[in-house]
Amino acid sequence: MPEQEIKGSTRLCGLIGDPVRHTFSPQIHNTLADLTGQDLVYTAFPVENPEGLDAAVRGAFELGILGMNVTVPYKQDVMKSLVGIDPAAERIGAVNTLVRTDNGYKGYNTDYVGLRRALEDKGISLKGKNVVLVGAGGAARSAAILCAEEGAACLAILNRTVEKAQSLCDAVAAHYDKIKLLSFDLQKAGSLPLDSYIVIQCTNVGLYPKVQETPVSDPAFIRKAEAVYDLIYTPEETRFMKLCKEHGIPAWNGMDMLLWQGVSSFELWTGAQVTAAQAEIVKKKLRKVLKERQ
Ligand code: ATR
């Protein structure tokens, strides 16, 4: 429960998706509201009927809801119901944050911003680097656009289904002409023709409860990694991260991306500037609720 009193002036933000029961976003935003003194509460709204999505977004606007997060399966479909879309979100082709304007909501992608801030936090710069994405689904799409935006020299997308890796390469190439792009079969990761790279793990392989799984285990691939960022945050250390650490390679989980995507949405809605100390408090809270959940 938020510590602050809910009053007539309290603004509402929320999450739409299906399912939404297991989300950590209420913990992030209600803690941020308490810490920053914003008169705001956040809750989750399951939208079970996909045909009701447009009505849900319009209804939210008419009810004065300040901002929304959007999750699976609506991150693409919601774009039809918006009055504007941020250019990065447009390139990614997915929106996870709706920000109120005078005549409707504008869409942003703070998954992308969250990953950028998480990498910055770890001192990882993508500029001029080789980057390997493991996976080519929705999460990989935000990461791929980030790599291009940040000026990575080469992006190799490794996926079990190579055709999907190639179509993500094509989607990046449609907007960016400087980055070298390569699609590659994940099963052959060990023979990837690059000497060193930063790895961003974007599949759901190894996610709780299937913690013994790893998308790749070939030492020939792992040895060449400079640093590894795994988007999974349950468990705290994936099998893939463990294998990397055994080779002396620094590896982090996706907790900071989760944190920073939330912080970025909150800042867009409220105009507040969340301090590093406040973000650290939210992170502690997230760690606690993640542990309780497992
Ligand atoms: P998300 O939105 O989390 O990215 P997604 O769009 O369904 O989810 O993408 C899941 C990713 O995990 C894909 O890259 C998928 O590979 P395929 O495109 O070949 O399906 C990858 N993935 C899922 N299960 C996998 C497995 N057992 N081995 C390797 N890759 C797997």
Side-chain angles (χ1 to χ4, degrees):
M1 280 294 139
E3 281 167 23
Q4 60 173 310
E5 190 188 348
I6 297 172
K7 308 184 282 287
S9 58
T10 303
R11 300 301 300 267
L12 183 61
C13 287
L15 169 71
I16 50 176
D18 183 35
V20 292
R21 279 189 74 82
H22 300 290
T23 177
F24 295 106
S25 293
Q27 279 92 341
I28 296 177
H29 294 291
N30 290 315
T31 305
L32 283 171
D34 285 339
L35 289 169
T36 59
Q38 293 284 326
D39 185 13
L40 179 159
V41 290
Y42 184 104
T43 189
F45 301 99
V47 175
E48 288 166 6
N49 172 16
E51 285 171 18
L53 177 64
D54 187 59
V57 173
R58 285 172 200 283
F61 184 76
E62 296 304 332
L63 287 169
I65 290 180
L66 180 63
M68 301 289 266
N69 280 137
V70 183
T71 190
V72 177
Y74 300 129
K75 288 185 183 187
Q76 286 91 33
D77 287 351
V78 77
M79 294 168 87
K80 295 195 280 273
S81 306
L82 307 178
V83 293
I85 296 173
D86 172 69
E90 184 90 62
R91 285 185 200 129
I92 294 163
V95 151
N96 79 323
T97 300
L98 311 187
V99 176
R100 196 174 180 85
T101 71
D102 288 344
N103 53 343
Y105 291 111
K106 182 173 175 188
Y108 291 81
N109 190 307
T110 69
D111 291 330
Y112 156 94
V113 184
L115 179 57
R116 191 182 67 213
R117 290 175 80 163
L119 294 175
E120 273 169 17
D121 223 35
K122 311 295 174 206
I124 301 174
S125 165
L126 303 179
K127 196 169 171 53
K129 294 281 188 175
N130 296 331
V131 185
V132 171
L133 295 191
V134 177
R141 242 185 126 83
S142 305
I145 296 297
L146 178 67
C147 292
E149 283 283 327
E150 296 290 289
C154 173
L155 175 63
I157 303 178
L158 275 57
N159 201 43
R160 176 178 61 178
T161 317
V162 193
E163 294 74 25
K164 278 214 236 161
Q166 186 53 48
S167 78
L168 183 49
C169 285
D170 295 344
V172 176
H175 297 289
Y176 303 90
D177 56 7
K178 293 209 171 63
I179 188 164
K180 199 173 152 231
L181 295 154
L182 173 69
S183 60
F184 207 78
D185 184 348
L186 180 59
Q187 283 91 325
K188 298 181 185 147
S191 53
L192 183 70
L194 291 173
D195 292 335
S196 68
Y197 33 74
I198 291 163
V199 179
I200 307 177
Q201 198 300 106
C202 307
T203 75
N204 42 28
V205 183
L207 182 67
Y208 181 83
K210 297 185 178 173
V211 297
Q212 281 316 311
E213 295 184 0
T214 175
V216 46
S217 56
D218 189 340
F221 171 77
I222 291 175
R223 267 198 305 267
K224 292 192 283 178
E226 289 172 44
V228 171
Y229 195 82
D230 194 328
L231 265 45
I232 292 176
Y233 48 85
T234 48
E236 236 180 298
E237 183 178 78
T238 60
R239 168 131 190 266
F240 180 57
M241 285 169 62
K242 192 165 186 291
L243 290 172
C244 295
K245 287 179 182 174
E246 282 168 10
H247 283 81
I249 293 144
W252 294 276
N253 68 21
M255 165 86 93
D256 281 16
M257 177 179 171
L258 172 71
L259 167 75
W260 289 115
Q261 65 77 29
V263 167
S264 303
S265 296
F266 187 86
E267 288 177 339
L268 282 169
W269 296 328
T270 61
Q273 198 71 38
V274 174
T275 65
Q278 290 167 335
E280 198 51 43
I281 295 171
V282 179
K283 193 164 149 178
K284 278 207 184 101
K285 170 114 193 186
L286 270 177
R287 275 219 189 89
K288 186 166 166 275
V289 289
L290 281 169
K291 284 230 164 73
E292 285 165 4
R293 197 66 75 77
Q294 283 178 49

